[in-house]
Structures are given as structure tokens and as C-alpha cells.
């Protein structure tokens, strides 16, 4: 509907001689043509000049009908200009949170102030803004959202600051407006249901309060959101609530699937997401444990995919490193990016995270070191099946874990498992390379079950199997020695400590115990002799089999006694050298 049509409709329904329609009728022959953002307007010259100081000056200096070329920089859209034109022609103006800031900015630009007229649009809009917008949480955010297209003009008039101050004041009174703090709980990879809900903030629902919604702040662009959050931190809003708001913001604008879209983002969306992830990283609190490792890891993956700046990625790695003892293996599985990637996962990033953890670990309690060492073992076991994982990469990660947890009672089963998987997936390794990768394995800290498996593991180098057998021998000898020192009465003493009724143990049970210990002692002596023979045999033959004349080697005899040979196919425990990488 054109403005001329609106004039005639208004005239047809007018009933009083003082109504605005009579003024429109009087000015029908003096219309001015305008085009605002491609939309045509036909307006009355006299009424525009009476309300707007700027338009009055333009009409006086330029009598031609079309002033569009003189209003090319007007800070508004066609819908807002239509509201202003209606006000100039005496129509009622319906203000709302979505248009009041734009109307205020346009009224100021056109000079529709107290200087021009006592009944001016700036005064009307300002009154609405102060009494209807600022007291309301939701309306403040909606008004700010609408101001993003004219942000500079709104900032110059202090409208942005007024809304931001109102929001911050309300959050200081009730931090829960940002969303409830996240629950930083530990989950396992198999517990998918708990993992799905573990780090979601507990959004508080206030029934029958229509002017409340915790996610509203996430509607703002990062240009408005960042300074407001930064001001909240300076005003000492509790950081756990700030972290909750940051989580909401990332979940809405950055994380994959947040908006239900499966397609790759456009270049414009990628740039926007990169800007957001960099800004949020700057806003993240530095306190350890405040933000779950799973969220930090998710942010790091997004930062790598979006090619965020180095400072952003480094900041996330440092934060993960500070609380690595709270992480899971899944948190460290960061896919490698780029066309030239050689490995499936970004192990260099994991190395930096590990170094950050060790350099910041100051506690006298070594339990955190043990937890992280076991985490690295599990991580190595996870990535060991990657055929492109280099030997040096595997060793460097294992050495970091080994050096930091040295002196602790850490079990070596996890490292053995990782080595076993790596050797199984990298059959082309030479004997020297297999021995090199096994040097990070502490055989003395392997469990009996792991030692039993290793004794039959033909992927291991001969030297390592010998070390494991000697370790088993020493443990067994030590156990027998301890029991022998106590004699049969050692069993009785232990039972007495547990239960006074153990004093009545029968003599036949004591004899059985004694016979068992004598049997174990004989086994130790036999193992000592055979291991000594095996060691001399290996040294004399330079780790080669002595079956050239059809004779059975001592090593083969040893394995047969230990039960390591299960088939004729498994009689050769050596892996031949292969120079070509199987692809």
C-alpha cells in the first residue's frame, strides 16, 4: 500500500475536522518522493518539514521532488522509516523492543527532537525505552539484538550502554539468569547416557514468569556479547555462571549440529564461527576445573577445524593441560587436519597438553601423575592401531608419561597393551625398532596376567621376553623366600590376625602348605637353571636359532616347557625384517 492510498483511506474514516487527515488533504499537491532502501515513499513536504529539522533544511535547499540521493546514508531500514513517516503525518506509532532503538536513532538523525517540536518522536521513543525496555531482562536483550544493524549510532547515543548496564545489574542480583552452573562429573566412554547429560547446565525453569529465559543473552552477536560478559567478569559476577553462559553461546553458534544443520558451513559462517571461538576463548575463566575437559576439548577441535589463530588454540591446550587428570581418552582424540596430514590424530597437540600439565603440576600427591600416566597409556592403546603413527611419535608420548610417573607404583599393563597393539599393526618393524619401542616398558611392574601373556607373545623381541621371564623369576623367588622365612607358622600368623579361630588350623593343612612351598621352591630353582642356560645360548649364537643341522635349540625347548608353543606355525618367535611398508 502506497502512502497516497493510506492518505485516502485515512480521509475516508476521519470524523473530526482537527484530525491529521485534513492536513493530508490540504497537502495533496505538494508531495515529495523518496526511496529508502529501494522502497518508494510519497510524503507531504509541509508535514515532514514541521517534524524534522534535517528534512526541513533539505527541502528548503532542494525544491526538487526526489530527495533520495541526499538521504543515501540514512541509518535505518524501510520499516523504521515508515514508522517515522506515519508520525510526521499524525498517525499513531506502535513502539516495541524490536524497533525502539532504531526509531530513536532515526529520530535523532532527522532532528526530530525538542528543539524542533514539543511533540517530537525522540521524546516519545525515549520515554518508552526508559520505562518499558530497561526494567525488563528480555526486552533489553531484544532491543540490543535489533540494534546490531545500526550499532555505531546506538552506541553513540549511549543506548547500548544503557541496555548493557541494565542486564549486568540484573545478573548481579540474580546470576541464575545466565543459566545454572555446569556439573563437572566424570563419565566413562561406555556410559553414553550420562555422557550426553554430564556437562549440560541445569537450566532453571521459572513457571508463570513470562519475562524470563536464560538463553536470551545468546541471541546477541559476538560484538555485543563479548563486552557485556567482560564487564560482568570485572563486576565480579560468579565465574561458574559466566562459564554456563559461554557454554550456551558456543552450543548455539559454533558446535556442530547446534542448529540442526548437517551441511558444511558457508565461508561467511566459518568466519563468524572462528571469530566467536576466538572471542569465547579470551573470555574463558582461568580457574582449574571450572569448565569440563570435554567442553574444552570440543572447543579445541572446533578451533582447529575453523583455523582459529595460534593464541586461541594454545590457550585451550593450556587450560586442558591444567586439569588433564580430569580428562578421558575421548577428550584427547583430536583429529588431525589438513591435506598433508600423516597421522589420524593430532598427537603434537597432545604432547603440548601433556607438557602443560607436567609443568603446572605442583601437588605433593603423586596420584594425579599416576592418573595422567594411565590416561596416556590408554591414549596410546587407542591410537596404536593407526598404521601411519610413527615410531618416534609413539616413543615420545610414552617417554613423557614414563618420566613424569617415575618413582610411583604405576602398573605397566597399560603400556604393555599399547605396545602389543602397535607391534601387531606395524609388522614391518625391524628387530632393532621392536626393541626400541619396548625400552619404555618396565617389566618389573607388570601384573602376573600380563607377564603370562607376554611370555607367549611372539611379537616381542627375544631380549624383552628374557627380561620378563627374569622378572617373573625374581618375583616368584621373593614370594617363596618370604613364605619360607615364616615357615608353616606364617600361614597361622596371618589367619590369627584375621580371625582368632585360625589357631585351630589342622596339622594336615600345615603339611599341605609346606609341600606347596617346597614345590614352588623347586620350580624357582629349575627356572633359574633354564634361564641361565638360555641366556648363555642367546649370547653365544647372537640371538639366532641353532637348528641348522635339524637340532632343536635351547630357546625352543624353553618355550615348549613354558607352554608358549601352541602350534608348529608358532615355533619361530622372531619377526623377519621387512624393508617395505605394507600399504
Amino acid at each position: 500500500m502506497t502512502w497516497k492510498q493510506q492518505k485516502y483511506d485515512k480521509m475516508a474514516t476521519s470524523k473530526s475536522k482537527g484530525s491529521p487527515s485534513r492536513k493530508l488533504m490540504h497537502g495533496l499537491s505538494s508531495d515529495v518522493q523518496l526511496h529508502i532502501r529501494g522502497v518508494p515513499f510519497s510524503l507531504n513536504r509541509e508535514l515532514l518539514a514541521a517534524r524534522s529539522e534535517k528534512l526541513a533544511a533539505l527541502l528548503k535547499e532542494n525544491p526538487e521532488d526526489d530527495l533520495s540521493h541526499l538521504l543515501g546514508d540514512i541509518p535505518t531500514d524501510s520499516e523504521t522509516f515508515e514508522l517515522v513517516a506515519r508520525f510526521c503525518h499524525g498517525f499513531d506509532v506502535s513502539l516495541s523492543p524490536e524497533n525502539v532503538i532504531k526509531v530513536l536513532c532515526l529520530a535523532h538523525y532527522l532532528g526530530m527532537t525538542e528543539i524542533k517540536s514539543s511533540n517530537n518522536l525522540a521524546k516519545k521513543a525515549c520515554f518508552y525505552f526508559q520505562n518499558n525496555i530497561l526494567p525488563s531482562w528480555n526486552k533489553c536483550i531484544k532491543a540490543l539484538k535489533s540494534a546490531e544493524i545500526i550499532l555505531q549510532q546506538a552506541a553513540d547515543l549511549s543506548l547500548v550502554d544503557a541496555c548493557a548496564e541494565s542486564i549486568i545489574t540484573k545478573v548481579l542480583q540474580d546470576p541464575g539468569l545466565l543459566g545454572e552452573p555446569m556439573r563437572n562429573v566424570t563419565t566413562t566412554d561406555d556410559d553414553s547416557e550420562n555422557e550426553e547429560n554430564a556437562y549440560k547446565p541445569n537450566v532453571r525453569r521459572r513457571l508463570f514468569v513470562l519475562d524470563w529465559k536464560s538463553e536470551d543473552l545468546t541471541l546477541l552477536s559476538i560484538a555485543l556479547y563479548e563486552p557485556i560478559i567482560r564487564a560482568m567478569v570485572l563486576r565480579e559476577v560468579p565465574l561458574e555462571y559466566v562459564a554456563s553462559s559461554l557454554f550456551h553461546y558456543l552450543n548455539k553458534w559454533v558446535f556442530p549440529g547446534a542448529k540442526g544443520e548437517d551441511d558444511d558451513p558457508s565461508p561467511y559462517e566459518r568466519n563468524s564461527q572462528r571469530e566467536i571461538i576466538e572471542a569465547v576463548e579470551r573470555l574463558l575463566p582461568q580457574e582449574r576445573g571450572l569448565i569440563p575437559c570435554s567442553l574444552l576439548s570440543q572447543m579445541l577441535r572446533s578451533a582447529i577445524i575453523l583455523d582459529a589463530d595460534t593464541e586461541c588454540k594454545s590457550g585451550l591446550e593450556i587450560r586442558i593441560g591444567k586439569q588433564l587428570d580430569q580428562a578421558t581418552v575421548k577428550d584427547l582424540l583430536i583429529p588431525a587436519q589438513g591435506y598433508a596430514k600423516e597421522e589420524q590424530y593430532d598427537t603434537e597437540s597432545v604432547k603440548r597438553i601433556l607438557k602443560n600439565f607436567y609443568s603446572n603440576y605442583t601437588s605433593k600427591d603423586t596420584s594425579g601423575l599416576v592418573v595422567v600416566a594411565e590416561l596416556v597409556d590408554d591414549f596410546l592403546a587407542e591410537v596404536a592401531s593407526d598404521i601411519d603413527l610413527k615410531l618416534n611419535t609413539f616413543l615420545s608420548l610414552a617417554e613423557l608419561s614414563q618420566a613424569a610417573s617415575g618413582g610411583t607404583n604405576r602398573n605397566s599393563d597399560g603400556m604393555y597393551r599399547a605396545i602389543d597393539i602397535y607391534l601387531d599393526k606395524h609388522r614391518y618393524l625391524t628387530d632393532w625398532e621392536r626393541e626400541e619401542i619396548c625400552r619404555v616398558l618396565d617389566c618389573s611392574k607388570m601384573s602376573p596376567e600380563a607377564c603370562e601373556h607376554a611370555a607367549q607373545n611372539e611379537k616381542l623381541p627375544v631380549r624383552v621376553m628374557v627380561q620378563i621371564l627374569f622378572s617373573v623369576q625374581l618375583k616368584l623367588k621373593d614370594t617363596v623366600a618370604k613364605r619360607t622365612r615364616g615357615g608353616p607358622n606364617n600361614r597361622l600368623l596371618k589367619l590369627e590376625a584375621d580371625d582368632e579361630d585360625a589357631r585351630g588350623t589342622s596339622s594336615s593343612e600345615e603339611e599341605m602348605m609346606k609341600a606347596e612351598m617346597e614345590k614352588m621352591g623347586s620350580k624357582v630353582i629349575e627356572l633359574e637353571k633354564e634361564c641361565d642356560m638360555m641366556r648363555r645360548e642367546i649370547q653365544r649364537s647372537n640371538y639366532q636359532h641353532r637348528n641348522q643341522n635339524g637340532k632343536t635349540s635351547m630357546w625352543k625347548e624353553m618355550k615348549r616347557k613354558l607352554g608358549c608353543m601352541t602350534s608348529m606355525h608358532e615355533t619361530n618367535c622372531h619377526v623377519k625384517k621387512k624393508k617395505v611398508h605394507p600399504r
Side-chain angles (χ1 to χ4, degrees):
M1 180 181 296
T2 66
W3 271 97
K4 285 186 177 181
Q5 290 173 322
Q6 290 181 357
K7 294 176 190 177
Y8 291 119
D9 290 342
K10 184 68 177 180
M11 286 187 291
T13 58
S14 177
K15 295 183 180 180
S16 62
K17 63 179 180 179
S19 67
S21 60
R22 295 195 178 271
K23 297 180 180 179
L24 287 173
M25 185 186 303
H26 177 72
L28 285 177
S29 61
S30 58
D31 288 344
V32 61
Q33 306 299 319
L34 292 176
H35 287 76
I36 305 297
R37 301 290 186 262
V39 178
F41 291 91
S42 180
L43 308 172
N44 183 272
R45 286 174 175 271
E46 295 179 3
L47 295 179
L48 290 179
R51 299 286 189 174
S52 169
E53 186 175 3
K54 185 178 183 68
L55 289 177
L58 290 176
L59 289 170
K60 183 177 180 180
E61 297 173 3
N62 303 274
E64 63 268 18
D65 292 340
D66 194 346
L67 300 179
S68 301
H69 63 286
L70 300 175
L71 297 174
D73 61 343
I74 190 168
T76 191
D77 50 43
S78 59
E79 291 81 6
T80 305
F81 187 83
E82 182 175 346
L83 289 174
V84 173
R86 288 178 65 87
F87 179 81
C88 292
H89 287 78
F91 288 84
D92 291 333
V93 176
S94 178
L95 295 174
S96 68
E98 289 78 10
N99 64 29
V100 64
I101 289 183
K102 292 187 289 185
V103 168
L104 261 172
C105 290
L106 183 56
H108 182 269
Y109 175 82
L110 295 177
M112 302 175 69
T113 62
E114 193 77 20
I115 298 176
K116 184 63 177 176
S117 171
S118 59
N119 182 22
N120 61 85
L121 184 58
K123 180 179 179 180
K124 180 181 178 68
C126 187
F127 181 85
Y128 179 87
F129 178 78
Q130 185 171 356
N131 292 277
N132 291 275
I133 301 300
L134 295 182
S136 168
W137 167 267
N138 267 5
K139 290 180 181 179
C140 271
I141 296 174
K142 291 177 180 178
L144 274 179
K145 177 67 177 177
S146 68
E148 291 176 353
I149 61 174
I150 50 167
L151 189 56
Q152 188 57 54
Q153 291 81 2
D156 292 341
L157 295 178
S158 299
L159 299 176
V160 172
D161 290 342
C163 287
E165 180 61 27
S166 174
I167 290 171
I168 295 170
T169 301
K170 290 175 174 59
V171 170
L172 286 170
Q173 296 172 354
D174 181 11
L177 290 168
L178 296 177
E180 290 301 305
M182 289 172 282
R183 295 180 293 116
N184 191 351
V185 299
T186 303
T187 59
T188 61
D189 292 340
D190 295 332
D191 194 355
S192 58
E193 183 178 353
N194 287 340
E195 185 176 4
E196 181 181 356
N197 299 316
Y199 304 123
K200 290 184 178 180
N202 301 323
V203 180
R204 181 169 48 188
R205 301 297 180 189
R206 299 182 179 181
L207 298 180
F208 310 113
V209 182
L210 301 179
D211 188 41
W212 187 90
K213 189 179 180 184
S214 67
E215 295 88 350
D216 269 351
L217 202 59
T218 65
L219 294 174
L220 303 180
S221 68
I222 194 64
L224 286 170
Y225 180 81
E226 182 178 6
I228 291 176
I229 293 295
R230 195 175 300 281
M232 287 183 182
V233 174
L234 293 176
R235 300 275 285 275
E236 298 184 352
V237 171
L239 294 180
E240 58 268 27
Y241 292 95
V242 173
S244 176
S245 180
L246 293 172
F247 173 86
H248 278 304
Y249 200 85
L250 289 171
N251 198 48
K252 182 176 182 66
W253 298 109
V254 177
F255 290 157
K259 293 179 285 185
E261 298 174 355
D262 297 329
D263 297 335
D264 293 333
S266 65
Y268 173 80
E269 290 175 327
R270 284 180 61 88
N271 291 337
S272 175
Q273 290 175 345
R274 178 169 58 248
E275 181 183 359
I276 290 172
I277 202 79
E278 292 172 354
V280 171
E281 188 279 325
R282 293 191 295 267
L283 296 169
L284 286 178
Q286 295 288 344
E287 281 70 13
R288 164 185 157 89
L290 190 60
I291 299 177
C293 272
S294 65
L295 175 57
L296 293 172
S297 177
Q298 192 175 7
M299 287 183 65
L300 180 57
R301 292 189 188 97
S302 297
I304 294 173
I305 293 172
L306 296 170
D307 195 24
D309 58 37
T310 303
E311 185 178 356
C312 173
K313 291 181 283 191
S314 177
L316 292 170
E317 290 174 350
I318 291 173
R319 286 178 171 87
I320 296 173
K322 286 182 179 180
Q323 56 192 63
L324 189 58
D325 52 331
Q326 302 174 2
T328 64
V329 174
K330 186 177 180 180
D331 298 334
L332 298 181
L333 296 178
I334 303 169
Q337 299 294 321
Y339 295 104
K341 65 179 182 180
E342 296 181 355
E343 298 175 355
Q344 185 177 358
Y345 297 102
D346 192 344
T347 53
E348 292 301 319
S349 178
V350 175
K351 289 181 189 178
R352 292 190 293 270
I353 290 172
L354 277 172
K355 291 177 181 178
N356 286 322
F357 172 78
Y358 294 136
S359 62
N360 287 284
Y361 194 84
T362 57
S363 175
K364 295 181 180 179
D365 185 6
T366 60
S367 60
L369 296 174
V370 174
V371 169
V372 171
E374 292 175 349
L375 175 66
V376 176
D377 291 348
D378 293 339
F379 173 77
L380 286 174
E382 190 72 27
V383 302
S385 58
D386 179 9
I387 194 65
D388 294 319
L389 183 65
K390 296 178 181 178
L391 176 64
N392 291 337
T393 301
F394 186 97
L395 285 175
S396 61
L397 286 168
E399 288 168 351
L400 278 174
S401 171
Q402 188 182 52
S405 60
T408 64
N409 295 323
R410 179 169 75 96
N411 187 289
S412 295
D413 288 7
M415 183 62 69
Y416 169 71
R417 175 172 169 262
I419 290 174
D420 180 54
I421 296 174
Y422 189 85
L423 293 177
D424 183 63
K425 298 296 182 179
H426 299 76
R427 297 277 183 158
Y428 58 86
L429 296 177
T430 65
D431 291 341
W432 179 87
E433 289 173 328
R434 289 188 294 122
E435 289 190 7
E436 185 70 9
I437 199 172
C438 289
R439 66 181 171 81
V440 295
L441 180 64
D442 189 346
C443 302
S444 65
K445 294 183 178 180
M446 292 173 60
S447 67
E449 294 79 11
C451 290
E452 181 181 357
H453 183 277
Q456 305 178 53
N457 192 345
E458 295 190 354
K459 296 187 292 294
L460 295 176
V462 175
R463 184 190 302 274
V464 178
M465 297 187 72
V466 171
Q467 291 175 351
I468 293 174
L469 289 172
F470 272 116
S471 176
V472 173
Q473 175 193 1
L474 292 174
K475 289 180 182 178
L476 186 58
K477 185 176 181 180
D478 183 63
T479 301
V480 173
K482 288 180 180 178
R483 292 187 178 183
T484 304
R485 282 197 298 270
N489 292 330
N490 186 54
R491 170 84 170 173
L492 293 174
L493 291 174
K494 184 177 185 303
L495 292 174
E496 284 176 351
D498 297 335
D499 190 349
E500 293 182 359
D501 294 339
R503 296 175 182 176
T505 304
S506 64
S507 59
S508 59
E509 186 176 350
E510 294 177 9
E511 292 177 358
M512 291 176 61
M513 183 66 188
K514 183 176 180 180
E516 181 181 351
M517 287 190 294
E518 290 176 353
K519 183 178 179 181
M520 292 176 65
S522 301
K523 188 173 181 180
V524 169
I525 296 173
E526 182 181 353
L527 279 173
E528 287 178 342
K529 291 180 181 179
E530 292 180 348
C531 287
D532 186 60
M533 292 172 61
M534 180 182 65
R535 182 172 53 197
R536 291 198 302 269
E537 180 70 20
I538 292 173
Q539 292 173 349
R540 184 166 55 251
S541 61
N542 194 22
Y543 303 103
Q544 300 295 322
H545 291 287
R546 294 181 54 199
N547 55 357
Q548 297 176 354
N549 298 322
K551 298 180 180 180
T552 305
S553 67
M554 292 297 296
W555 171 243
K556 197 174 292 185
E557 289 292 332
M558 180 63 182
K559 291 189 67 180
R560 185 173 289 110
K561 290 180 180 180
L562 293 175
C564 299
M565 295 175 59
T566 57
S567 68
M568 293 300 294
H569 179 68
E570 296 177 347
T571 56
N572 185 5
C573 63
H574 293 279
V575 178
K576 295 181 180 181
K577 297 181 180 180
K578 297 182 180 180
K579 300 298 183 180
V580 181
H581 190 301
R583 293 287 183 179

